[in-house]
């Protein structure tokens, strides 16, 4: 559970990078940032689910 909370600052940083990429209309960076955001959310949700099952 603590690990899922520690991922939050990384999500925030990635969202800032996504905002900058959208503002600059850099489509490649937008795709990369969206993939990383999705993967981080899946990992943190998986950690929370696993921790609650125990």
């Amino acid at each position: 559970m603590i690990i899922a909370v520690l991922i939050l600052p990384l999500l925030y940083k990635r969202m800032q990078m996504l905002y900058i990429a959208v503002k600059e209309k850099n489509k490649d960076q937008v795709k990369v940032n969206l993939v990383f955001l999705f993967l981080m959310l899946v990992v943190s949700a998986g950690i929370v689910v696993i921790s609650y099952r125990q």
Side-chain angles (χ1 to χ4, degrees):
M1 182 71 175
I2 294 173
I3 296 172
V5 173
L6 293 176
I7 291 176
L8 290 176
L10 296 173
L11 285 172
Y12 179 71
K13 180 66 176 169
R14 188 58 68 171
M15 287 173 65
Q16 284 180 329
M17 292 171 66
L18 176 64
Y19 176 74
I20 292 169
V22 167
K23 208 162 70 169
E24 294 176 354
K25 298 179 181 173
N26 189 347
K27 291 183 180 179
D28 292 333
Q29 278 300 109
V30 169
K31 290 177 187 175
V32 168
N33 286 321
L34 284 174
V35 168
F36 271 105
L37 272 173
F38 180 73
L39 289 176
M40 285 183 197
L41 284 172
V42 168
V43 167
S44 62
I47 291 169
V48 169
V49 168
I50 290 171
S51 67
Y52 277 122
R53 281 190 176 178
Q54 293 178 352

